């Protein structure tokens, strides 16, 4: 299988999780979501989870060293191979440098630009399945049975950081930190930006771009 080390960068509620699931289905990426991994630690009550919970619920970033260790450990798993998709990491330039320092090269950055009004509408209707990270929307992408995960039948929850205050904090944090990341990856020639309000519009062009990259050099 041809290697492709990718990351998806986008605002809270921008559709990173939703688009990642489609990319995994179509291209067999190993998906590593920093947020999902942290929420699993919280749900399991591990020390890392207890240390991270307040940061997450209030919309602040968890300390860099905690998240970096979690992500780098997941990438080192044999099933990660060298076709993986990072979602929600790196989130600041220090984390990007940590990847560099660990010898982790990035071939492709899928950068989402989504208007803020759209983000607010999406997050208000989101419901998630914590164990898998699957996310639904009460109107746009409802589960087959209201309130239950399609695959396991387990209950869906509203994320504790989907409150108005935490969403505002997350958006501010994103705006403050992201331009440096965009500049970092643009200067390396690996940035591809997708704009719009509809994943249904964004996804076909994203899929074509990834397919092109995988076809290159064959
Ligand atoms: P994380 O879980 O990554 O949250 P986030 O970045 O705020 O992004 P979301 O998961 O909220 O949104 P998404 O882009 O995945 O959108 P989704 O597909 O669900 O991180 C959470 C927290 O963990 C952070 O705040 C921080 O505390 C910590 N953390 C994580 N990474 C960290 C790091 N690297 N360093 C430090 N701390 C870190 O879509 C949203 C909704 O919209 C869903 O309901 C979906 O169904 C719906 N939707 C999707 N597409 C469409 C569409 N086209 N039309 C209508 N609705 C749509
Ligand atoms: Mg997500």
């Amino acid at each position: 299988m041809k290697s492709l080390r990718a990351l998806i960068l986008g605002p809270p509620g921008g559709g990173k999780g939703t688009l990642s699931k489609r990319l995994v289905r179509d291209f067999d990426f190993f998906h590593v979501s920093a947020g999902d991994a942290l929420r699993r630690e919280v749900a399991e009550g591990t020390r890392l989870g207890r240390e991270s919970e307040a940061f997450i619920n209030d919309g602040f970033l968890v300390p860099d060293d905690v998240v970096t260790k979690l992500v780098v450990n997941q990438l080192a798993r044999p099933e990660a191979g060298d076709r993986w998709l990072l979602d929600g990491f790196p989130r600041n330039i220090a984390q990007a440098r940590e990847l560099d320092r660990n010898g982790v090269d990035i071939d492709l950055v899928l950068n989402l630009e989504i208007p803020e009004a759209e983000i607010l509408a999406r997050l208000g209707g989101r419901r998630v399945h914590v164990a898998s990270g699957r996310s639904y929307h009460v109107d746009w992408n409802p589960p087959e049975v209201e309130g239950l995960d399609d695959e396991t039948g387990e209950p869906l929850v509203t994320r504790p950081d989907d409150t108005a205050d935490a969403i505002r904090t997350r958006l501010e944090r994103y705006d403050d930190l992201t331009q440096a990341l965009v500049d970092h990856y643009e200067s390396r020639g690996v940035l591809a930006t997708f704009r719009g309000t509809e994943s249904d519009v964004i996804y076909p062009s994203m899929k074509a771009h990834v397919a092109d990259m995988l076809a290159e050099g064959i």
Side-chain angles (χ1 to χ4, degrees):
M1 192 159 70
K2 189 162 189 263
S3 76
L4 186 59
R5 292 153 301 184
L7 63 91
I8 187 160
L9 182 68
K16 299 183 294 295
T18 305
L19 291 160
S20 293
K21 291 283 181 304
R22 295 185 190 181
L23 291 165
V24 166
R25 179 195 65 200
D26 291 338
F27 299 104
D28 209 16
F29 281 106
F30 182 75
H31 180 217
V32 177
S33 159
D36 289 350
L38 286 166
R39 280 184 289 278
R40 278 195 298 272
E41 298 283 335
V42 172
E44 287 166 13
T46 63
R47 201 178 80 165
L48 194 153
R50 290 196 303 277
E51 283 170 7
S52 308
E53 188 170 9
F55 290 106
I56 298 171
N57 291 352
D58 292 341
F60 292 102
L61 292 189
V62 169
D64 289 340
D65 55 334
V66 174
V67 195
T68 301
K69 210 182 298 161
L70 199 61
V71 167
V72 169
N73 283 346
Q74 289 216 30
L75 292 180
R77 285 162 58 174
E79 60 271 36
D82 55 9
R83 184 181 294 188
W84 42 250
L85 177 64
L86 275 179
D87 160 357
F89 188 95
R91 259 185 223 243
N92 57 30
I93 199 72
Q95 293 178 5
R97 297 221 167 93
E98 275 302 303
L99 282 184
D100 295 344
R101 215 175 51 78
N102 281 276
V104 179
D105 286 329
I106 302 291
D107 305 311
L108 172 64
V109 177
L110 301 162
N111 177 37
L112 298 174
E113 288 187 0
I114 311 290
E116 196 167 307
E118 173 72 15
I119 290 170
L120 297 175
R122 288 183 188 184
L123 289 178
R126 174 163 63 184
R127 302 291 180 272
V128 297
H129 178 242
V130 174
S132 68
R134 275 185 286 280
S135 80
Y136 299 85
H137 189 277
V138 287
D139 301 318
W140 180 74
N141 177 27
E144 285 159 21
V145 180
E146 192 184 331
L148 300 180
D149 178 49
D150 287 349
E151 287 187 29
T152 63
E154 290 167 351
L156 301 177
V157 299
T158 301
R159 271 175 39 178
D161 60 343
D162 279 349
T163 59
D165 279 353
I167 291 170
R168 197 172 321 114
T169 305
R170 285 155 65 202
L171 284 168
E172 281 167 12
R173 212 45 87 250
Y174 184 78
D175 288 343
D176 290 347
L177 296 172
T178 304
Q179 192 56 48
L181 275 182
V182 167
D183 294 346
H184 180 77
Y185 289 116
E186 192 159 39
S187 72
R188 295 182 174 197
V190 294
L191 190 80
T193 296
F194 301 86
R195 298 186 178 85
T197 55
E198 290 288 329
S199 314
D200 293 344
V201 173
I202 288 178
Y203 190 64
S205 50
M206 187 177 274
K207 183 177 175 183
H209 189 85
V210 171
D212 282 352
M213 284 206 63
L214 287 171
E216 265 169 30
I218 290 177

